[in-house]
Amino acid sequence: PIYYKELQVCFTEFSFALITVLLASPGQLNPSKLLSFDCDLCIFWFQALTLANSSRRNYTTGEIVNLMSADAQQLMELTVNINLLWSAPFQIIMAVIFLWKELGPSVLAGVALLLLVIPINALIAAKVKRLKKSLMKYSDQRVKLLSEMLHGIKILKLYAWEPAYQRKVMSIRECEVDVLKSSGYLTTYSMLTLTCIPFMVSLATLGVFFHLDEENVLTATKVFTSISLFNILRLPLFDLPSVISAVAQTKVSLSRLEDFLCAEDINPKDVNTNYSGSNISIPEGSLVAVVGQVGSGKSSFLSAVLGEMEKLEGTVQRRGSVAYASQQAWIQNDTLQENILFGADLHRQYYELVLESCALLPDLEQLPNGDQTEIGERGVNISGGQKQRVSLARAVYSNADLYLLDDPLSAVDVHVGKHLFEKIIGPSGLLKSKTRILVTHNVTFLPHTDLIIVMEEGRISQMGTYQELVSKRANFAELIQVFSAEHTTEETTPVEGEKIRILCLPSIFNFHSSYLKVFLMKMTVVLKYLQAFNWRWMWLTIAAYLGQNALAIGQNLWLSTWTAETAEVSDFTEWKQSQNYKLHIYGLLGVIQGLFVCCGAYVITRGSLSASRALHHQLLDNVLHLPLQRFETDPVGQIINRFTKDLFIVDSRFHYYLRTWLNCTLDVIGTILVITSASPLFIVVVIPLGYFYFTIQRYYIASSRQIRRLAGASHSPVISHFSETLVGRSTIRAFGHQERFIRKNNDVVYENLVYFYNNVISNRWLCVRLEFLGNLMVFFAALFVVLAGNTMSSSTVGLSISYALNIIQSLNFWVRKACEIETNAVSIERICEYAKMDKEVSILEMSLSGNFLFQVGIVGRTGAGKSTLTNCLFRVLEGSEGKIVIDGIDISTIGLHDLRGNLNIIPQDPILFSGTLQSNLDPLGKHSDLELWEVLELCHLKDFVQSLPKKLLHEISEGGENLSVGQRQLVCLARALLRKTKILVLDEATASVDMETDNLVQSTIKREFHNCTILTIAHRLHTVMDSERVLVLDTGRILEYDTPHNLLQRKGAFSEMVAEAGIRRDKENLGINTS
């Protein structure tokens, strides 16, 4: 009879396994799941592209990327296990029915215990949901800050702010780790449920079974059949809370996605494209200039025409297609040619004409592959002027009806600016028959325009032709007078013996397609995790799991001994007297096992938190100490992927895989020992089957690891393309290329899903083979029991068969988790690979002091190497020869933070971080509010800041988007005024401000930095005319270096640039005047 019962259990186990495979396979193999994920990302991506500016302020780029990478991923992963919501209860019900047949009404005690667990699981799920919300909130904050830091990494390095911002990230990370700690402690209960509920159910059932009827006797048939059924309960009891928790987490993600998808979109009715306007009538084919001071609303005027602003009243109407060149040029990570074509077909003759008109032909000769040179993310391997001309070329090539040009001439030198106006924008230019709206600060071009719009405080204050506005003697006339006023300077005599050393470097940019490193995964990666895990917690974890598995075997051996005594006892009176004692021992073993389970869950939580904290700190520290060139060659999306998806594996998955693998390993070892002790011949089967297991595992891992690596590599372009599109969304919408970018997004997402689908298929391949080998083990275990005949006791037979049934699940989990460890170790490998990269060199600690005052103006054509000189001074570029000496100190011999902390710079790109205005001015918190107001007044921002409701606590949006570019530049100037250093570098510091503000800023700089050495890089030559020295660069080399007076007398390159700029030199003094 026992064989019949055990065969019945075998059939039940086989049926459940078959049902599980059939239920799991459709969910995991069905392409509709991947199609659904693809559609989700497309809808999400389209929403990001059409988000209104009012809604965009609520979502930073980092937060949107996190929604796409983490929340959408959570939704997809739930679809794999969604069937468990009904299949797990179904398996539980079937197991209870079979238990009823064996133990009768006493099984209701176990069912009651199961029902008691359900509300507790519900409470745990509710708690997990709240923790998930908190975790996502902190994760969003961390990714948002990291995204801004990576996009503004040049500012962090030039100002030596990396430690301060690293502390900010770490403080957010600590809050995140605290939530992970609470979540980890909740897993203690989950582990207790998984391990001890079958025991508790069996204990309750057996206890009631004995007390219901004194005639009830515990036989091997009843015990081990019941134990096998209780073991069947284990997996659905574990899966059900997990899937309920996943549903709770997905609900949080869905609510976050719903909020984003329901955010306000751009209203197409804000712009009517069918007919000409009536309030401001712009004739077709006219050239319109928009002028005004910083923050007057010039860029906002163009945004209103584009429909990028929320319409409060009135109408905005336009006709025909639009081309847009933004003030801060948006460049794609593509070839220079593709950046210009922007999805259009190549017409070689017109393309060459556009290149010549945009003065790009000389630049193409410098680039390694001409127009096929790959431009890095955000255009990092070309200068600011080159970026602006590529952006202008893109607009010109589109051959649109309406051109909106947001100050494209500010980033180029005077000579190039004049060329662009004459060849493209002006009355005789390439666009002479097109309607052009040009925002500009250069008033020399205004006489050539058909209409001028003067902006003031966000409104149109004046409008008319050049002559009409000049005759009115109003604000416009003041702008002209400011530009035309003469500025006198004192001529300085050159100091004998003074030298400046310029370091010429070969091109450091060599972009190439990313490639995959294919090599065998070594154990060193897992050892790095264990080292971060802390070996103390590791050994305690092993001890705890050894204890709980030994006690589990001890429980079953105790039951086996108990049933063996039952078969030999003739007088059941004595047996009944001892059954309570044996039941108590059985219960005590279970309680001790529960304590070991709790201890194991606690120590593995502590260890995993230690690993998460250590690896994140190591990754952040390594990334922030990379040379700046690394950020210019590696896409930001790839780095962010390390801090999101890969770190998620470390935080939530990897320790679970290790724990499960360890538990399954000990379980398999214990099972083989128990079966072998009952049937020694079983070892003959274990060896070949073990060989097949390892062969399948090795074959699967080799494929799965590379598929996982390919999937990870294909996921980075998804994030990079997404981030890049978010930055350039205004340009994309202006050109009407939303559909093209949606198609490109579909392509990169589809490529990623192809690898993901292959990963799922490989899992199914593994599942079929492991199930077959596991059933062979059960078959041979049962066969050897039958062959043994009466030589084996019924209790030993029951113990052996019950363990054999359990080995299928254990072996499957063991192989799967071993594979998961190796494939997910790719994430740890990617995190640790930053430790192997070259870091910025930091040598000694030393202070710098300026012993002489010196003002040098640095000029040159666009791409001449002016900004590269700054990079050399700040050691962003390390030289292969030559040296730069400051006060007799070779800067290559001192620490980077010591060097950069003693230098000051106002950069070409005005980069601000989200947060308060106060935190942007003084991120280190070293200065008082009084000092901040003083520098704001010096930068002519005091009135503007006082008009803000929160004043210094005014919230700056991501990238400073709620300030004009000119205002951002002035904030950067205020930031520099707070740093008391002896050397100041001005890198096109006033390129985006009007002439009046430029003059005010220049006078402020001369007054406040009168005791400093000043290096001024400028396109507006009048800003360097009163410098003590002028350095003229061309293609990275020095052409001329002398006083302005001597250079003008020499009639060289500098004299030509002054003449082209319309600046004349008076006989009595050096000044500027418009021609």
Side-chain angles (χ1 to χ4, degrees), residues 183-241:
S183 180
Y185 291 154
L186 284 178
T187 59
T188 302
Y189 171 78
S190 299
M191 292 301 301
L192 194 63
T193 301
L194 172 65
T195 308
C196 297
I197 281 296
F199 152 74
M200 294 171 66
V201 169
S202 63
L203 180 64
T205 302
L206 293 177
V208 173
F209 177 74
F210 289 138
H211 288 89
L212 278 180
D213 190 347
E214 293 184 355
E215 299 300 322
N216 286 338
V217 176
L218 195 64
T219 62
T221 302
K222 290 184 180 295
V223 167
F224 291 105
T225 302
S226 300
I227 291 297
S228 297
L229 291 169
F230 287 139
N231 284 330
I232 290 174
L233 284 174
R234 178 177 299 189
L235 189 59
L237 283 173
F238 176 72
D239 286 339
L240 193 57

Side-chain angles (χ1 to χ4, degrees), residues 687-698:
I687 294 174
L689 287 181
Y691 170 76
F692 285 121
Y693 262 102
F694 282 108
T695 302
I696 291 172
Q697 179 191 12
R698 187 170 63 251

Side-chain angles (χ1 to χ4, degrees), residues 149-212:
M149 288 169 60
L150 293 175
H151 283 98
I153 190 66
K154 186 173 183 179
I155 294 297
L156 296 186
K157 288 189 173 294
L158 294 182
Y159 281 119
W161 282 348
E162 304 104 301
Y165 276 85
Q166 184 174 2
R167 287 192 295 271
K168 287 184 179 182
V169 175
M170 291 305 299
S171 65
I172 299 174
R173 177 62 177 172
E174 283 304 314
C175 296
E176 199 175 353
V177 170
D178 287 340
V179 178
L180 286 171
K181 184 190 298 182
S182 301
S183 180
Y185 291 154
L186 284 178
T187 59
T188 302
Y189 171 78
S190 299
M191 292 301 301
L192 194 63
T193 301
L194 172 65
T195 308
C196 297
I197 281 296
F199 152 74
M200 294 171 66
V201 169
S202 63
L203 180 64
T205 302
L206 293 177
V208 173
F209 177 74
F210 289 138
H211 288 89
L212 278 180

